[in-house]
């Protein structure tokens, strides 16, 4: 039976590290506590049957319970020798194996169950009897590998008929809702697509094949060969610099499964087909820590949530010897996979860890983050996105931003929409508020959407003492020539944030500046006071001088993007702080400048043109630059 990831050497290292490292010892105790809790709860199958009624519903989406449950219990047994953990793992494995099908129509879920069963089986194999081995192996082969084999075998057919082409990380080829053979596309075309499914599904199949290689060598070898070729489409999403176009939540999940895959291949085959050398993978850790604000929340653009499992950082730090990925972070989210946390946590080779930079730029995605400090939970943080709009889980959000200060997220991204809305991932996606431009913290012209096939560029990224900034050219996403619509965002040393837009004189009609917030807002003309969690933030319009703030509802039913509005998220508690202007009555220079200040921060009375930001920032007297 192949030892997948959890070799005896790894077990010994964990035991040694536990006695030497007090922090690691606490994680060890947390794993045992989680395993003990699982002993007292219903099994995964019992829980899913109770909660979902029909078991097939449990195979939809990212069902993490099987992987977390089986790896936690199995590792607890390997570390303690307590047979209660082995017996419970055995029960979980046999119940999952006894299911008639793992529902290939929901292949993402099938891959999660395959991974969970494969790891749990490998880690407690010596505690199983021959009948157990037979039942589990049969399930992996019949319910997992043979179903995957059918899908890998369709690739040539898809290419020859021109039904689908491999997707690229910048401008992916759209996958149709259904293919000419009548099958739904997402659960079939993931081998030739570039999005998170590709990594997750291929990883599950490779690990299942490794575990089954002794009993079904021909099938296992075929799956491994096809999957390692296919997964390069998914790993291409890490290029060129680690930033993940689907949002940090999906990136973290994909990076975690990439880590499981690479370690599984290396532990069994002694190599990983050079997948660990994939462009951008090592730098994903830099991206993930920088898109996490002082509140612990992510810059959750696209269909991303504000939290995710950060355990991939542990693997990236150890595998690539990047200890800065593991530096303590305020309000950090704990890992939901304690077994991987222990297996991947290793002492860094370097005693001196270089400090993290306070500003970050991804050229590939056109994303910038800036913060006033790393170790202060009240630090000011800004996330700003330009970039290509075409990707799975994308929103029409070029120019959007999030803003944190004093432990509060003031400007929020609405995050995940309702995946069950009609056409959400295909032709109707941008009919809905959360995915449309109106639902982002950016500019809208006549309430119209940005163009989904276009791209916004970060044109300038400046890091000066007390003045970090980024300037994006948003013109292309609005169908305009370069330089027509520009947005700059700056973070000043005292935590003041400036957002400044410049619009060419030839554009006409209404334009709206929008920020979504959960704060209570009071407005007096060009001044707004935001109050949340007992904290206060002031917003002021610097230009145009006659502009005033207005407050509007973010309920989709009260906007033009009201398709299926009763099924859309009502965005309860969210307000739209807006500046409405009419370009027809606006003389040059056309600039919208809004400044955000906390109590005690300097008051900025003028706005400097974006073209002068670099020059102004380099002046000796920074306090006078605005």
């Amino acid at each position: 039976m192949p030892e997948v990831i959890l070799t005896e050497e790894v077990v010994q290292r964990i035991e040694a590290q536990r006695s030497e490292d007090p922090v690691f010892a606490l994680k060890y105790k947390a794993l045992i506590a989680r395993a003990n809790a699982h002993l007292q709860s219903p099994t995964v199958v019992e829980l899913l049957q109770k909660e979902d009624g029909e078991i097939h519903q449990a195979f939809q989406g990212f069902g993490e319970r099987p992987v977390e449950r089986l790896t936690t219990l199995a590792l607890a047994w390997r570390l303690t020798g307590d047979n209660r953990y082995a017996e419970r793992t055995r029960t979980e494995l046999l119940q999952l194996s006894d299911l008639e099908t793992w529902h290939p129509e929901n292949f993402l879920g099938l891959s999660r169950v395959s991974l969970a069963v494969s790891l749990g089986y490998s880690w407690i194999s010596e505690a199983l009897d021959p009948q157990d081995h037979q039942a589990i192996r049969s399930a992996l082969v019949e319910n997992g590998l043979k179903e995957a084999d059918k899908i890998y075998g369709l690739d040539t057919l898809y290419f020859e008929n021109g039904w689908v082409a491999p997707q690229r990380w910048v401008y992916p080829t759209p996958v149709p809702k259904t293919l000419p053979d009548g099958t739904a596309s997402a659960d079939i075309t993931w081998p030739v697509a570039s999005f998170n499914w590709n990594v997750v599904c291929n990883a599950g199949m490779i690990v299942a094949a490794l575990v089954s290689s002794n009993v079904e060598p021909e099938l296992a070898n075929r799956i491994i060969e096809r999957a390692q070729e296919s997964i390069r489409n998914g790993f291409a999403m890490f290029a060129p610099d680690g930033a993940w176009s689907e949002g940090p939540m999906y990136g973290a999940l994909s990076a975690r499964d990439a880590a499981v895959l690479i370690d599984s291949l290396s532990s069994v085959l002694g190599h990983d087909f050079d997948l660990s050398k994939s462009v951008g993978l090592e730098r994903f850790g830099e991206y993930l820590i920088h898109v996490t604000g002082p509140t612990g929340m992510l810059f959750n653009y696209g269909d991303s949530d504000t939290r995710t499992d950060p355990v991939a950082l542990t693997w990236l730090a150890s595998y690539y010897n990047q200890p800065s990925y593991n530096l303590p972070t305020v309000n950090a989210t704990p890992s939901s996979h304690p077994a991987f946390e222990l297996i991947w946590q290793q002492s860094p080779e370097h005693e001196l860890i270089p400090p993290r930079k306070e500003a970050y730029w991804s050229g590939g995605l056109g994303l910038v983050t800036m913060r006033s400090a790393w170790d202060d939970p009240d630090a000011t943080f800004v996330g700003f996105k330009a970039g290509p709009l075409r990707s799975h889980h994308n929103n029409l959000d070029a120019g959007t931003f999030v803003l944190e200060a004093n432990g509060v997220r003031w400007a929020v991204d609405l995050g995940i929409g309702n995946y069950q809305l009609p056409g959400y991932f295909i032709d109707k996606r941008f009919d809905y508020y959360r995915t449309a431009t109106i639902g982002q913290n950016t500019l809208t012209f006549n309430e119209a959407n940005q163009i989904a096939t276009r791209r916004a560029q970060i044109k300038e990224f400046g890091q000066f003492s007390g003045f970090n900034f980024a300037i994006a050219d948003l013109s292309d996403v609005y169908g305009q020539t370069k330089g027509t619509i520009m947005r700059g965002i700056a973070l000043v040393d005292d935590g003041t944030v400036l957002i400044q837009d410049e619009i060419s004189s030839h554009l006409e009609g209404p334009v709206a500046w929008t920020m979504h917030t959960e704060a209570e807002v009071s407005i007096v003309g060009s001044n707004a006071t935001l109050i949340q969690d007992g904290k206060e933030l002031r917003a002021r319009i610097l230009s145009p001088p006659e502009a005033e703030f207005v407050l509007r509802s973010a309920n989709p039913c009260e906007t033009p993007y009201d398709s299926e509005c009763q099924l859309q998220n009502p965005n309860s508690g969210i307000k739209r702080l807006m500046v409405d202007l009419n370009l027809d009555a606006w003389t040059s220079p056309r600039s919208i400048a809004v400044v955000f200040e906390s109590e005690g921060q300097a008051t900025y009375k003028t706005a400097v043109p974006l073209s002068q930001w670099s020059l102004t920032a380099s002046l000796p007297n920074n306090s006078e630059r605005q």
Side-chain angles (χ1 to χ4, degrees):
M1 177 68 177
E3 286 188 312
V4 179
I5 299 178
L6 189 60
T7 64
E8 188 56 36
E9 179 183 359
V10 172
V11 173
Q12 293 175 5
R13 178 183 57 76
I14 292 174
E15 290 291 359
Q17 203 165 338
R18 170 194 175 194
S19 62
E20 299 168 357
D21 185 342
V23 175
F24 190 85
L26 291 176
K27 294 181 179 181
Y28 184 103
K29 290 181 179 179
L31 173 102
I32 302 303
R34 181 81 68 90
N36 290 335
H38 289 327
L39 293 178
Q40 305 303 317
S41 68
T43 65
V44 167
V45 169
E46 290 167 351
L47 278 172
L48 296 178
Q49 286 175 329
K50 179 181 178 181
E51 293 179 3
D52 297 306
E54 296 187 27
I55 196 71
H56 74 86
Q57 296 179 15
F59 286 78
Q60 296 182 11
F62 282 95
E64 296 301 324
R65 274 182 291 196
V67 177
E68 185 277 318
R69 174 75 63 91
L70 269 68
T71 56
T72 297
L73 287 166
L75 181 58
W77 175 68
R78 291 288 294 273
L79 294 176
T80 66
D82 189 331
N83 284 330
R84 294 178 303 158
Y85 303 130
E87 185 57 35
R88 182 52 183 271
T89 308
R90 173 181 178 273
T91 299
E92 300 270 3
L93 288 169
L94 292 177
Q95 285 188 1
L96 287 166
S97 300
D98 193 48
L99 295 174
E100 184 177 348
T101 175
W102 289 349
H103 296 281
E105 71 274 15
N106 295 314
F107 208 92
L108 194 67
L110 182 152
S111 70
R112 305 307 299 160
V113 172
S114 297
L115 179 62
V117 171
S118 299
L119 293 176
Y121 175 43
S122 171
W123 294 5
I124 71 154
S125 61
E126 61 189 80
L128 302 173
D129 60 36
Q131 292 83 2
D132 298 336
H133 284 275
Q134 176 62 33
I136 297 168
R137 287 171 175 170
S138 176
L140 282 171
V141 170
E142 298 297 328
N143 293 350
L145 297 182
K146 287 187 176 179
E147 295 296 341
D149 199 35
K150 297 174 187 177
I151 295 175
Y152 289 123
L154 291 174
D155 288 0
T156 301
L157 183 63
Y158 290 149
F159 288 129
E160 289 177 350
N161 287 275
W163 296 347
V164 66
Q167 295 185 26
R168 293 171 25 193
W169 69 274
V170 176
Y171 294 114
T173 303
V175 177
K177 181 178 181 181
T178 58
L179 299 174
D181 61 1
T183 56
S185 64
D187 292 287
I188 299 294
T189 60
W190 53 263
V192 292
S194 293
F195 68 123
N196 64 85
W197 279 45
N198 178 282
V199 177
V200 173
C201 293
N202 279 311
M205 293 307 101
I206 285 179
V207 177
L210 291 171
V211 169
S212 307
S213 58
N214 290 344
V215 291
E216 288 279 356
E218 184 177 342
L219 174 62
N221 289 339
R222 185 165 66 248
I223 292 291
I224 291 171
E225 183 59 30
R226 287 175 165 178
Q228 67 88 12
E229 291 179 353
S230 165
I231 205 169
R232 298 176 196 279
N233 290 324
F235 273 53
M237 292 280 286
F238 291 109
D241 52 19
W244 194 266
S245 63
E246 295 179 293
M249 180 185 76
Y250 284 106
L253 298 176
S254 300
R256 184 189 64 211
D257 277 23
V260 170
L261 165 70
I262 289 169
D263 273 10
S264 296
L265 287 169
S266 299
S267 61
V268 178
L269 302 182
H271 66 86
D272 65 0
F273 297 99
D274 285 337
L275 290 171
S276 58
K277 298 178 181 178
S278 298
V279 175
L281 177 58
E282 177 180 351
R283 295 185 63 188
F284 178 80
E286 180 184 12
Y287 156 79
L288 188 59
I289 60 176
H290 279 280
V291 296
T292 304
T295 63
M297 291 192 289
L298 301 167
F299 178 12
N300 57 317
Y301 57 88
D303 280 326
S304 188
D305 204 348
T306 55
R307 302 280 177 173
T308 193
D309 183 359
V311 73
L313 289 174
T314 306
W315 180 82
L316 291 162
S318 299
Y319 194 91
Y320 295 107
N321 194 28
Q322 293 285 352
S324 65
Y325 294 170
N326 267 345
L327 284 174
T329 303
V330 293
N331 296 313
T333 300
S335 171
S336 58
H337 286 71
F340 294 146
E341 184 79 4
L342 285 180
I343 290 169
W344 290 337
Q345 182 75 60
Q346 297 186 37
S347 301
E349 295 180 7
H350 298 304
E351 293 184 4
L352 296 177
I353 302 175
R356 292 169 171 170
K357 295 180 179 179
E358 293 175 346
Y360 165 82
W361 172 36
S362 162
L365 191 56
L367 181 142
V368 169
T369 66
M370 300 172 281
R371 71 188 70 220
S372 59
W374 276 102
D375 55 358
D376 181 3
D378 292 330
T380 301
F381 169 84
V382 181
F384 177 37
K385 179 179 178 293
L389 297 181
R390 187 81 169 267
S391 74
H392 198 65
H393 290 292
N394 69 303
N395 295 339
L396 301 182
D397 60 359
T400 198
F401 67 96
V402 296
L403 169 62
E404 294 181 8
N406 299 319
V408 173
R409 176 158 290 187
W410 300 100
V412 302
D413 189 296
L414 299 179
I416 303 173
N418 179 1
Y419 289 6
Q420 306 307 312
L421 287 167
Y424 185 83
F425 286 110
I426 46 171
D427 57 317
K428 289 179 64 65
R429 179 174 179 85
F430 304 121
D431 293 346
Y432 303 121
Y433 186 89
R434 286 198 169 203
T435 51
T437 304
I438 195 175
Q440 320 305 319
N441 298 330
T442 190
L443 300 173
T444 52
F445 294 84
N446 201 24
E447 297 185 314
N449 273 332
Q450 296 171 351
I451 303 171
T453 56
R454 301 294 182 86
R455 178 174 187 159
Q457 303 273 6
I458 297 292
K459 303 300 293 184
E460 194 168 358
F461 175 54
Q463 298 182 78
F464 296 89
S465 177
F467 190 69
N468 292 325
F469 71 89
I471 300 174
D473 188 341
L474 308 181
S475 308
D476 188 49
V477 300
Y478 295 104
Q480 303 296 319
T481 57
K482 289 182 179 181
T484 304
I485 303 167
M486 308 291 291
R487 165 163 282 194
I489 295 185
L491 173 61
V492 185
D493 53 2
D494 65 353
T496 298
V497 173
L498 173 65
I499 300 175
Q500 185 167 316
D501 301 307
E502 294 180 357
I503 303 169
S504 173
S505 60
H506 78 271
L507 291 179
E508 300 176 344
V511 59
W513 182 103
T514 299
M515 184 186 95
H516 292 78
T517 185
E518 295 176 318
E520 294 300 319
V521 182
S522 60
I523 295 173
V524 180
S526 62
N527 293 273
T529 301
L530 287 69
I531 297 177
Q532 186 175 339
D533 298 336
K535 306 294 179 63
E536 181 178 306
L537 186 72
R538 299 188 305 271
R540 296 190 301 112
I541 303 172
L542 298 184
S543 67
E546 70 277 10
E548 296 184 350
F549 283 118
V550 294
L551 207 60
R552 289 198 173 87
S553 169
N555 188 323
C557 297
E558 300 176 32
T559 74
Y561 292 81
D562 59 353
S563 178
E564 310 284 352
C565 75
Q566 298 302 325
L567 299 177
Q568 292 192 54
N569 190 309
N571 302 323
S572 301
I574 303 292
K575 300 119 185 138
R576 285 191 291 165
L577 180 63
M578 302 182 67
V579 181
D580 286 335
L581 296 165
N582 192 325
L583 295 173
D584 297 344
W586 193 3
T587 58
S588 297
R590 291 173 161 188
S591 173
I592 306 173
V594 178
V595 67
F596 295 91
E597 304 156 328
S598 298
E599 186 175 358
Q601 291 176 341
T603 299
Y604 293 90
K605 298 181 179 179
T606 60
V608 175
L610 297 179
S611 61
Q612 298 179 23
W613 275 20
S614 288
L615 175 63
T616 306
S618 63
L619 294 177
N621 189 355
N622 289 336
S623 64
E624 296 296 323
R625 63 175 158 260
Q626 295 286 339

